Amino acid sequence: MPRRNKEKDDKRALVIGLGRFGGSLARELVNDGWEVMGVDTNARRVQAQSDILTQSVVADTTDDETLRQIGAPDFSRAVVAIGSHLEESILTTSLLVDLGVSHIWAKATSRRHARILHQIGAHHVVLPEHDMGERVAHLVSGRMLDFVEIDEDFALGSTEAPQFIVGHKLGETGLRGKYRITIVSIKRRGGAFTYATAETVPKQGDIVIAAGSIRDVERFASLEK
Ligand code: ADP
């Protein structure tokens, strides 16, 4: 079997740091049918997760030999969820890179921390506090019901259908030309989300999901309802 497929089929992950972030992430993976080995220096945290995780180990991952002993090189996916311990986070990540783990996600607590993690070879860096802060800001400002930034300048935002598209086929509203956004999904009152087409006619009170640049999605969400 080619290596890529083998990796794709490998539903095992190593999660280092079982704080709030690492703990929730590990539990979610287990719920999703993954085998998860959780590691933390804090025995109490390891104990608290031991019933849920496939394997849980008390260990200090800043030591190369320890990482080998727990079998870190056998994992193709690892998450370094040590946020507030900068030195430990950087050391652990660089050791995993050296051991050849092919997909490493690392949690950063600041942009500088994120830059270092990228530089030493982490494949994916997440900044949960920053990202959630930005997301909630869009919700607090009251124009969007939900907001997800997909890329540096691409987002999805849900909002009540603005007045000027109510009762009109989406294909005839000129939304893409005028507002540079695409409505990808719609939720009827009391219904579930479904995909939107050029023939879809939004009604008053429907919720729509708009895709486009952050600025364009914001502008669309602020239109009169
Ligand atoms: P959160 O904000 O998600 O709760 P923290 O940064 O507070 O995250 O928690 C990180 C976890 O990582 C803690 O449980 C801590 O004990 C663990 N940890 C810190 N250093 C190491 C290390 N060298 N090896 C393994 N686990 C570590």
Side-chain angles (χ1 to χ4, degrees), residues 16-22 39-42 45 59-62 81-85 88 92 107 129:
I16 299 174
L18 299 173
R20 288 160 301 175
F21 179 82
V39 187
D40 203 299
T41 40
N42 183 326
R45 288 205 162 159
D60 184 344
T61 56
T62 56
I82 308 172
S84 35
H85 308 68
E88 283 80 355
T92 300
K107 170 190 155 174
E129 274 104 359

Side-chain angles (χ1 to χ4, degrees), residues 61-103:
T61 56
T62 56
D63 178 56
D64 175 68
E65 197 42 48
T66 306
L67 278 175
R68 287 180 195 277
Q69 276 169 12
I70 64 171
D74 302 336
F75 285 85
S76 58
R77 289 177 169 79
V79 181
V80 182
I82 308 172
S84 35
H85 308 68
L86 196 69
E87 208 176 308
E88 283 80 355
S89 147
I90 293 167
L91 247 170
T92 300
T93 306
S94 84
L95 289 174
L96 291 174
V97 172
D98 289 348
L99 289 173
V101 176
S102 33
H103 304 280

